[in-house]
Amino acid sequence: MGTKSSDNGHSAGAVAVDDPAKVRNVVLVGPSGSGKTTLTEALLASTGVLTRAGSVTEGNTVCDHDPAAVRQQRSVGLAVAPVRHGDVKINFIDTPGYADFVGELRAGLRAADAALFVVSAAEGVDATTVALWEECAAVGMPRAVVVARTDHHRADVATEIASCQEAFGAGVVPLYLPGDDGLVNLLTTDDPRYEDQRNALIEGIIAESEDETLMDRYLGGEEIDQATLIADLETAVARGSFHPVMPVCAMTGVGLPELLDGVARAFPSPLEHLLPEVTGVDGIPHPRLAADPNGPLVAEVVRTAVDSYVGRVSLVRVFSGTLRPERPVHVSGHGMADRGHEDHDVDERVAHVYSPLGANLREVPYCVAGDLCALTKLGSAETGDTVSAPDKPLLVAPWEMPEPLLPVAVVPRSRSDEDNLARNLGKLVAGDPTLRLERNAETHQLVLWCMGEAHADVVLARLRAGGAEVDTEPVRVALRETFAAQSKGHGRHVKQSGGHGQYAVCDIVVEPLPRGVGFEFVDKIVGGAVPNQFIPSVEKGVRAQLERGLQSGYPVVDVRVTLVDGKAHSVDSSDAAFQTAGSMALKDAAVNGKTALLEPMDEVTIRLPDDHLGTVLGDLSGRRGRVLGTEADTAGYTVIRAEVPATELLRYAIELRSLTSGTGTYTRRFCRYDPLPQALAARSS
């Protein structure tokens, strides 16, 4: 995203919209390979935006402009493609279908008011497709179904519609069906061959009508006029419980006019979409907003890209008010510090407002509530930030971000690469909220937490494209050390070299404590063997050595250290001397006693289809996992709770996907440290 021009060689320039009722924001959702990007190209060509549709295989489509998308021949990021149909502007939002890029999908759902769920007429509905449907349902997104690739030699539209009805529920009803010459509109046809399908459609629409008498009138034989049915169709779709189906062929153009007409006439406008909750930057709730161009300015950055020519490009959904060029705005970002996005509140200036067409930016005079636009050179804006008026800054409640679970440790090849890496990481984190950056102080590794292998591949490619040559290395898990049994330690720090010397002697007893208790220090000095002012010094020295580690160099945890005896000198004893003696005593106790390594244990919650339950349980056993329990989730799904060593989860994001054909998901959280098996401890020492 980032080439500025008025039309960039396309046959249609950008036109600003004045009325939110004339806007439709539609996100294209579906599994990878279902034909979303190809359908978008066909819609752009059919409406005159493009003179010729591009091809995914040739790498020249509007939406897949990212070099990683061209190389992988699949979408890796969200892209916007606006078209005009009559007096309605339709913003088609193309999203990736691969699980690694679910963050881009959620951003698309945030920007849209309805979803077109694209399925292939040749592929059927698999568990991955159902998972995407559930992703849309979880945010209450109104959905319609497009059966694409109807020209495929294995295409079977009727079977695909039946599969959708079985997988998605009874609310899936065809609005059009293939006929002898193009498509048959079931609302208007009087062909007796389609009577059953037409009746099912009309009854489904009327069931969602606000006119409770309509069903009785229809069943009584009254012919319901088309205008009423279309109005109720829009109501039914907006409620999210009725999902019309439309067959489309991007290659031949069959169904494209009907699809555009259906979106323009039956999909909800921004006026009907419930906007996110809004607060002041101080957290005080603000009255819920409406899509009013004259209301207070509130917009949200749904995607951030960094272009080598233009700089930072922010894709924005305007919820309220109107964005205009050469105006000051306030940029707020809160609640994402754990992902590397520190809270920020900055006043900036909007230089230009653009209508995005893939990577192309076409300047427009303004962007009203309900529409999408692109802003450049907002230096502080990151994905998820709120753009509002400086005199009354507001904050939009964030959408739920998926947790990255695949760690990738990167190492720069040279000193210059180290500098380039530091510069590029900020850009990546600003634009990708599913990427988490960790600088591990214990293992001294720079770890990028990604969503999966494909996501990691894209992240590494972007780093290298920015001039940072990096290699990957195995991720190291930070262990802990503890005492396995009681041990005694003697620390004697005595130095006499003329002048003021150093003198401190202490004796300690170290005992193991239960896991998770931490560190305790006990003073049992009798008779002032160690003066009171130096007892905290001994504890300070012990604590410092616990942090540095003992025999294995890992921090020591869950021990009680008791100071039982010692000696001091009236002149040469000091705070520093007793710190050193305390450290020496702890090291002596480790030599005299027995220590053990501890590994972090994570509590894992796995959601997966029942068909894969046995396979995953067996795999958990092989990972030294302990299953805490299983419980039924939604129909056909089970949730497993287990405790698994963190060392066994480094590539689990990939391996679980392989075990469950891409349908299993999991979350993890640290719970405690447990002893590392002796055979593994020998390799880790």
Side-chain angles (χ1 to χ4, degrees):
M1 177 184 290
T3 304
K4 298 182 186 177
S5 72
S6 58
D7 58 24
N8 197 33
H10 302 108
S11 61
V15 179
V17 178
D18 295 309
D19 183 1
K22 301 299 184 182
V23 177
R24 303 290 183 272
N25 296 307
V26 181
V27 59
L28 298 176
V29 182
S32 186
S34 59
K36 301 183 298 297
T37 301
T38 301
L39 175 60
T40 304
E41 287 291 304
L43 290 167
L44 290 170
S46 71
T47 53
V49 178
L50 298 179
T51 54
R52 183 178 67 87
S55 166
V56 172
T57 56
E58 294 178 9
N60 59 354
T61 62
V62 165
C63 292
D64 285 354
H65 52 82
D66 190 296
V70 175
R71 177 165 48 85
Q72 295 186 14
Q73 292 199 357
R74 64 181 170 198
S75 300
V76 300
L78 176 155
V80 177
V83 303
R84 305 283 301 199
H85 183 72
D87 60 349
V88 175
K89 178 186 180 184
I90 305 173
N91 291 313
F92 285 108
I93 307 167
D94 188 19
T95 61
Y98 196 63
D100 278 17
F101 307 108
V102 66
E104 299 285 333
L105 167 62
R106 292 187 182 178
L109 294 176
R110 180 68 157 210
D113 303 306
L116 273 178
F117 206 84
V118 183
V119 297
S120 170
E123 300 298 334
V125 178
D126 58 12
T128 304
T129 308
V130 175
L132 288 169
W133 183 269
E134 292 177 348
E135 187 81 31
C136 296
V139 296
M141 180 63 66
R143 282 147 286 156
V145 179
V146 170
V147 179
R149 303 181 66 192
T150 57
D151 59 330
H152 195 280
H153 68 277
R154 290 189 288 106
D156 188 333
V157 174
T159 300
E160 186 67 19
I161 291 174
S163 297
C164 291
Q165 290 172 330
E166 181 179 356
F168 306 148
V172 177
V173 181
L175 181 61
Y176 293 91
L177 286 174
D180 299 329
D181 185 19
L183 297 183
V184 176
N185 185 338
L186 295 180
L187 275 182
T188 60
T189 185
D190 55 3
D191 191 326
R193 293 177 297 174
Y194 301 100
E195 183 176 358
D196 292 342
Q197 293 94 327
R198 184 174 189 271
N199 290 338
L201 171 64
I202 293 175
E203 289 174 14
I205 294 172
I206 292 176
E208 300 292 333
S209 175
E210 296 178 356
D211 186 348
E212 298 179 359
T213 68
L214 205 57
M215 182 64 76
D216 291 335
R217 289 158 50 197
Y218 174 72
L219 295 177
E222 181 178 334
E223 186 70 24
I224 308 300
D225 66 272
Q226 189 176 352
T228 300
L229 290 175
I230 290 175
D232 285 338
L233 172 61
E234 194 267 347
T235 300
V237 172
R239 286 180 175 174
S241 56
F242 182 83
H243 316 292
V245 182
M246 294 169 277
V248 170
C249 180
M251 294 297 103
T252 64
V254 172
L256 295 180
E258 289 84 354
L259 174 58
L260 290 167
D261 197 51
V263 169
R265 300 178 68 185
F267 273 37
S269 74
L271 296 172
E272 301 161 84
H273 186 70
L274 186 65
L275 300 185
E277 293 183 356
V278 176
T279 66
V281 294
D282 53 5
I284 297 176
H286 186 276
R288 191 176 286 274
L289 299 172
D292 179 5
N294 298 313
L297 176 63
V298 176
E300 186 173 31
V301 180
V302 294
R303 189 170 194 269
T304 305
V306 180
D307 184 86
S308 55
Y309 299 103
V310 179
R312 186 171 297 196
V313 181
S314 304
L315 178 65
V316 170
R317 162 74 190 254
V318 182
F319 290 119
S320 172
T322 301
L323 260 175
R324 300 182 186 276
E326 303 300 333
R327 301 289 178 88
V329 294
H330 184 84
V331 179
S332 298
H334 290 220
M336 289 284 288
D338 61 328
R339 299 290 180 93
H341 303 254
E342 296 299 328
D343 289 357
H344 51 274
D345 288 280
V346 181
D347 285 343
E348 298 205 40
R349 188 174 188 84
V350 174
H352 302 277
V353 178
Y354 299 97
S355 174
L357 176 60
N360 187 50
L361 301 178
R362 304 169 301 169
E363 191 165 355
V364 290
Y366 50 81
C367 181
V368 301
D371 205 356
L372 303 178
C373 66
L375 307 177
T376 59
K377 300 180 181 178
L378 289 182
S380 63
E382 301 179 348
T383 301
D385 283 3
T386 303
V387 178
S388 58
D391 57 340
K392 190 173 183 181
L394 297 172
L395 196 64
V396 177
W399 69 85
E400 183 180 351
M401 303 290 186
E403 186 68 25
L405 295 168
L406 177 67
V408 179
V410 297
V411 182
R413 291 182 184 173
S414 67
R415 186 61 179 268
S416 63
D417 290 322
E418 187 175 337
D419 295 337
N420 288 331
L421 177 62
R423 284 195 298 269
N424 280 277
L425 282 175
K427 298 176 183 178
L428 283 177
V429 173
D432 188 352
T434 64
L435 177 68
R436 180 159 57 88
L437 176 63
E438 175 190 359
R439 301 181 191 272
N440 195 303
E442 295 183 36
T443 64
H444 306 291
Q445 287 186 306
L446 177 62
V447 180
L448 304 176
W449 286 85
C450 305
M451 297 297 297
E453 272 188 312
H455 184 214
D457 182 52
V458 170
V459 169
L460 293 174
R462 287 174 178 164
L463 283 176
R464 290 165 183 150
E469 287 299 324
V470 295
D471 295 315
T472 61
E473 64 178 6
V475 176
R476 297 189 291 273
V477 174
L479 304 180
R480 295 289 184 269
E481 197 172 1
T482 193
F483 279 75
Q486 186 182 95
S487 180
K488 296 180 179 179
H490 176 72
R492 184 176 185 272
H493 182 59
V494 178
K495 285 189 177 182
Q496 295 289 344
S497 57
H500 190 71
Q502 298 182 49
Y503 190 98
V505 178
C506 64
D507 292 284
I508 63 173
V509 176
V510 185
E511 305 167 86
L513 292 176
R515 297 284 76 79
V517 171
F519 168 65
E520 293 181 8
F521 184 82
V522 180
D523 169 22
K524 286 192 175 180
I525 290 295
V526 177
V530 176
N532 286 337
Q533 69 266 31
F534 295 134
I535 291 174
S537 303
V538 176
E539 180 181 355
K540 190 174 180 181
V542 168
R543 285 184 178 273
Q545 191 60 51
L546 290 174
E547 288 296 318
R548 290 193 295 267
L550 296 169
Q551 296 173 341
S552 300
Y554 297 111
V556 181
V557 296
D558 300 336
V559 293
R560 177 188 294 121
V561 175
T562 304
L563 178 62
V564 295
D565 201 1
K567 293 181 181 179
H569 189 277
S570 59
V571 175
D572 293 342
S573 290
S574 65
D575 170 67
F578 271 100
Q579 284 190 45
T580 303
S583 172
M584 295 171 67
L586 185 65
K587 289 191 283 187
D588 186 57
V591 173
N592 297 333
K594 183 180 180 182
T595 60
L597 286 178
L598 304 174
E599 63 178 341
M601 299 290 294
D602 283 0
E603 183 176 315
V604 177
T605 302
I606 306 168
R607 183 178 183 270
L608 74 166
D610 296 341
D611 295 345
H612 302 288
L613 181 60
T615 303
V616 171
L617 289 173
D619 179 74
L620 287 173
S621 176
R623 296 176 186 275
R624 301 184 287 122
R626 183 167 70 91
V627 176
L628 303 177
T630 62
E631 58 188 50
D633 195 48
T634 54
Y637 278 79
T638 295
V639 172
I640 303 172
R641 289 190 306 108
E643 291 178 349
V644 186
T647 52
E648 301 286 347
L649 293 173
L650 294 177
R651 294 183 60 80
Y652 197 57
I654 300 168
E655 288 149 357
L656 177 64
R657 191 174 296 167
S658 175
L659 290 170
T660 61
S661 301
T663 58
T665 59
Y666 81 105
T667 59
R668 59 187 282 189
R669 67 176 183 86
F670 170 78
C671 55
R672 66 178 182 279
Y673 285 92
D674 273 358
L676 184 67
Q678 191 169 359
L680 295 176
R683 295 205 297 262
S684 301
S685 298

